[in-house]
Amino acid sequence: MRYIEPHAHMVSRTTDDYERMALAGCEVVCEPAFWAGFDRSAVEGFYDYFSQLTEHEPGRAAKFGLKHFCWLCINSKEAEDVKLAEEVIALIPKFLNRPNVLGIGEIGLNKNSKNELRVLEMQMDLAAKHNQLILVHTPHLEDKLKGTKLILDVLKNDKRIRPERCIIDHVEEHTVELVLDAGLWAGMTLYPETKCSPARAIDILETYGHEKIWMNSACDWGASDPLAVPKTALEMKRRGHLEVVIEKVILENPKTFLSQSPNFKI
Ligand SMILES: [Zn+2]
């Protein structure tokens, strides 16, 4: 099996996880900027984090033959402090020309607050100004549908943003159609507890098809499994999906979307 892990928070993972992913057939890992497991107190914390994502993690991945790419932003969990967000957003352009940067992400909403929405608009503007791909995080549980609709409104209102250059992650049964109908890409996050289980993700594929959709493990600070993508591919095989369909979802689709960034060379 060969696959791309399009959304993994490797800074929260041990080097053994890189090895397990490589052994399972992972060739490329993409790491959106996210929460550090705690709230950072100052913009300098983000400077160090962006340096880690663009300088240090590619080296850790390369030891196992994995290519490492990343996305930059201030995540919605830390976006309540608008002044801090402004400082972080001002810092990002300095890092955009690093060779492993794919775009702005994962931006989005966490609790659908006013400040989060303001910071989301600021980061959409940043992406549009610098012609960057966009990766969007959607809130969980009862906030997901409302948050997804708010995000789609912001995207539609900014005429500079092309929907095919934007992926909405953590879609579920009640949001996937909204996202695909808007011409955007959709990501399904495979989680052992919250979010999509492998079985649910495959049900979604069987219902909504295999176009403009990918799967990822997120593998962050919460209970998560860095091998969720290959395990789901195995389950697809067990359920009778053709090899070519499985390969499309776990390898070709991420490649097609990510290749819209000139930095994505594999
Ligand atoms: Zn994430």
Side-chain angles (χ1 to χ4, degrees):
M1 187 185 312
R2 294 168 63 217
Y3 74 98
I4 291 173
E5 171 53 78
H7 184 148
H9 297 292
M10 298 310 293
V11 302
S12 70
R13 292 282 150 184
T14 65
T15 301
D16 293 343
D17 285 334
Y18 273 118
E19 184 179 35
R20 290 164 65 216
M21 291 165 78
L23 287 169
C26 186
E27 296 190 349
V28 177
V29 55
C30 306
E31 178 152 9
F34 186 49
W35 189 55
F38 63 95
D39 288 349
R40 281 158 280 219
S41 61
V43 68
E44 288 80 5
F46 285 87
Y47 182 93
D48 286 347
Y49 178 49
F50 297 156
S51 301
Q52 185 180 18
L53 291 178
T54 55
E55 293 166 19
H56 184 68
E57 282 306 317
R60 215 155 71 98
K63 285 188 186 130
F64 302 97
L66 283 163
K67 291 267 295 180
H68 179 281
F69 295 93
C70 71
W71 300 73
L72 305 175
C73 76
I74 177 165
N75 66 90
S76 53
K77 267 170 106 80
E78 288 173 274
E80 266 319 314
D81 183 343
V82 176
K83 190 177 164 292
L84 174 66
E86 283 169 351
E87 289 171 7
V88 176
I89 290 167
L91 178 70
I92 290 172
K94 291 190 186 78
F95 288 87
L96 285 178
N97 60 359
R98 301 264 170 113
N100 74 330
V101 175
L102 298 173
I104 302 299
E106 56 187 297
I107 55 173
L109 298 173
N110 183 45
K111 291 182 178 151
N112 299 335
S113 75
K114 247 190 184 151
N115 284 353
E116 287 175 17
L117 206 55
R118 190 158 153 223
V119 172
L120 172 68
E121 286 169 343
M122 282 158 36
Q123 299 199 92
M124 296 268 192
D125 177 64
L126 176 74
K129 272 188 190 139
H130 294 270
N131 194 29
Q132 295 290 314
L133 297 180
I134 295 173
L135 191 156
V136 183
H137 166 102
T138 47
H140 302 304
L141 304 172
E142 68 272 15
D143 294 326
K144 184 175 290 292
L145 182 60
K146 186 179 171 218
T148 303
K149 286 180 176 167
L150 286 168
I151 289 163
L152 294 185
D153 283 345
V154 175
L155 279 168
K156 275 183 212 153
N157 286 339
D158 193 329
K159 300 289 175 230
R160 298 168 299 172
I161 294 170
R162 304 209 322 260
E164 70 275 14
R165 290 173 55 81
C166 187
I167 185 154
I168 309 291
D169 213 332
H170 319 317
V171 299
E172 289 178 8
E173 293 83 349
H174 58 311
T175 58
V176 62
E177 210 171 5
L178 271 177
V179 168
L180 293 173
D181 284 352
L184 301 147
W185 282 70
M188 294 185 290
T189 300
L190 308 161
Y191 242 40
E193 289 164 10
T194 58
K195 308 189 182 105
C196 265
S197 65
R200 277 174 63 195
I202 301 169
D203 289 346
I204 290 173
L205 290 173
E206 289 171 355
T207 309
Y208 298 101
H210 312 103
E211 296 301 326
K212 291 177 108 171
I213 195 158
W214 78 28
M215 300 190 294
N216 59 73
S217 74
C219 63
D220 52 28
W221 306 97
S224 50
D225 179 3
L227 298 184
V229 171
K231 284 179 185 171
T232 305
L234 206 59
E235 177 63 10
M236 285 179 79
K237 198 171 171 182
R238 200 186 62 78
R239 278 168 61 161
H241 289 262
L242 298 174
E243 291 286 343
V244 60
V245 169
I246 299 170
E247 193 171 283
K248 178 171 169 59
V249 176
I250 66 173
L251 184 69
E252 294 304 327
N253 281 357
K255 204 191 277 180
T256 302
F257 177 78
L258 297 169
S259 295
Q260 296 181 93
S261 162
N263 284 349
F264 191 77
K265 295 183 196 98
I266 54 170

